[in-house]
Amino acid sequence: MAKDIGIDLGTASVLVFVRGKGIVLNEPSVVALDKNTGKLLKVGEEAQAMLGRTPGNIIAIRPLREGVISDYDMTERMLREFIHKVAGVSVFKPRVIICVPSGITEVEERAVIDAGISAGARKVYLIEEPVAAAIGAGIDIAKPDGHMVVDIGGGTADIAVISLGGVVESASIKIAGDQLNEAVVKYMRRKHNLLVGERTAEEMKKQIGCVFPKDEEEVMDVKGRCLLTGLPKVVAVSSTEMMDAFEEPVERIMEAIHSVLERTPPELVADISTNGIVMTGGGSLVAGFDKLVTARTGIHTMIADDAISCVALGTGMSLETLGNMQEGTMNLSRRKQMS
């Protein structure tokens, strides 16, 4: 019998959870194909290594943008490769739960379901990212107790207040890890006349990126192309400069957290101030994010253990309740279920 599979279909990476085995795959959401023949060359890690380095006939693309499918055909082919990789060749098709941002439209929802079915799933179920993140972070969402989850991924930041197994208030904004990288690229161009690629920006974010003043200043040498001479150049960049670079996107995320808190019923706000705010997703690992949220909201904020895998773990744990889920609709949501 085919094993049930949980997929965290992220803008930056895809994590696959197989029932009984745990997370078995964690690869970047990148596809490389031959432009002339349309042949799929590489998927995941190997395709990512090609980003920004391909000859004319090969293109490396990211088929998901801002948390949703931007290239349907490529997403389906990428999913098929990943499902095949973890499930192998089987007569039985697996049942699949796919995780999606909470602000997704019905059209985008449909696209995810269709891509899952075309990629080889027998049935597709959807679950909202903040709900999956809360389950993965070890929160018991079934209790009548308010919890706030801030999930900052690659393409979207999802903020939700969860109680009694459902989402009470939420916001999903298309500002997350990718936009932080873009902010770094823009800053380097504006401040240092230096052109750096997306991968360099990602490295800078991981090594010296911060959103709250660090105890000790960190400096990194960054290589890029000088916009004035067109020649390679090395610039020393400090962690304080990174804070300036991140200011605008981080401000937008903070505004979204505030607006969700403002709309939350007072009883649940009281619960949240007791329970604290939990942060998940790769974007939450930028140094000082938890401190910044604590300072701005006055509510103790912590980063979940294994923050990057929380959504995938929660999606995997939801496989246990597949019997209670409705196929092809958003589950555990405040929306009316579509029949």
Side-chain angles (χ1 to χ4, degrees):
M1 189 69 199
K3 288 227 185 300
D4 297 329
I5 296 174
I7 300 176
D8 171 12
L9 189 61
T11 309
S13 52
V14 174
L15 281 80
V16 179
F17 185 107
V18 174
R19 194 171 183 171
K21 288 186 185 170
I23 295 172
V24 293
L25 182 135
N26 179 356
E27 300 224 7
S29 321
V30 184
V31 179
L33 76 156
D34 189 316
K35 210 159 50 174
N36 304 336
T37 62
K39 183 171 176 273
L40 199 66
L41 300 173
K42 300 280 184 220
V43 169
E45 288 280 344
E46 294 165 316
Q48 191 182 34
M50 298 179 172
L51 271 180
R53 294 185 169 154
T54 54
N57 64 319
I58 297 172
I59 48 170
I61 52 173
R62 295 173 63 178
L64 292 121
R65 279 270 161 224
E66 300 177 336
V68 293
I69 294 174
S70 62
D71 185 328
Y72 177 82
D73 183 42
M74 284 302 121
T75 304
E76 185 224 303
R77 287 164 80 174
M78 178 177 76
L79 270 178
R80 183 178 293 142
E81 285 291 318
F82 288 150
I83 290 175
H84 179 71
K85 213 175 198 177
V86 299
V89 182
S90 170
V91 183
F92 299 103
K93 291 181 170 184
R95 291 186 300 177
V96 176
I97 294 188
I98 300 178
C99 203
V100 290
S102 54
I104 193 170
T105 65
E106 285 181 21
V107 173
E108 290 161 346
E109 220 170 271
R110 197 73 252 158
V112 174
I113 294 163
D114 292 346
I117 297 287
S118 307
R122 174 162 48 109
K123 288 182 175 177
V124 174
Y125 303 82
L126 301 183
I127 182 172
E128 287 180 272
E129 262 169 29
V131 174
I135 298 169
I139 296 169
D140 183 355
I141 63 166
K143 288 183 176 170
D145 194 14
H147 290 276
M148 188 175 205
V149 177
V150 178
D151 178 55
I152 305 174
T156 57
D158 281 273
I159 300 115
V161 173
I162 297 165
S163 176
L164 286 169
V167 175
V168 181
E169 276 301 340
S170 72
S172 180
I173 57 168
K174 293 176 172 18
I175 303 278
D178 286 352
Q179 283 66 35
L180 293 178
N181 293 349
E182 277 170 32
V184 172
V185 173
K186 282 181 190 160
Y187 179 84
M188 294 303 290
R189 175 180 276 179
R190 193 177 67 240
K191 183 87 191 287
H192 295 289
N193 285 321
L194 193 74
L195 194 63
V196 296
E198 207 177 304
R199 293 181 66 180
T200 306
E202 175 81 21
E203 270 311 302
M204 291 165 71
K205 179 177 76 180
K206 285 181 177 169
Q207 284 193 32
I208 56 167
C210 65
V211 295
F212 198 76
K214 282 191 171 186
D215 300 336
E216 246 174 72
E217 182 92 342
E218 287 181 22
V219 178
M220 175 182 173
D221 285 338
V222 179
K223 295 177 186 143
R225 186 169 82 229
C226 178
L227 288 166
L228 305 175
T229 64
L231 298 172
K233 180 181 168 186
V234 179
V235 172
V237 182
S238 70
S239 48
T240 309
E241 284 188 84
M242 292 294 280
M243 223 163 79
D244 294 344
F246 289 153
E247 189 176 2
E248 196 187 327
V250 168
E251 214 41 58
R252 297 273 303 277
I253 292 171
M254 290 311 303
E255 280 167 18
I257 294 173
H258 269 199
S259 77
V260 171
L261 278 170
E262 276 169 13
R263 299 195 305 269
T264 302
E267 271 75 13
L268 292 178
V269 172
D271 290 345
I272 294 164
S273 63
T274 309
N275 297 328
I277 296 172
V278 176
M279 295 187 80
T280 63
S284 66
L285 298 177
V286 175
F289 230 134
D290 50 341
K291 290 178 183 162
L292 180 72
V293 178
T294 303
R296 292 285 194 86
T297 60
I299 300 169
H300 175 60
T301 303
M302 53 247 155
I303 292 167
D305 300 336
D306 203 1
I308 291 177
S309 309
C310 271
V311 172
L313 286 170
T315 309
M317 290 165 161
S318 306
L319 292 169
E320 304 302 326
T321 59
L322 265 184
N324 309 331
M325 284 191 176
Q326 272 184 278
E327 181 190 343
T329 61
M330 186 75 82
N331 285 282
L332 291 169
S333 171
R334 58 182 181 260
R335 275 202 219 159
K336 300 271 184 294
Q337 297 286 13
M338 298 173 284
S339 55

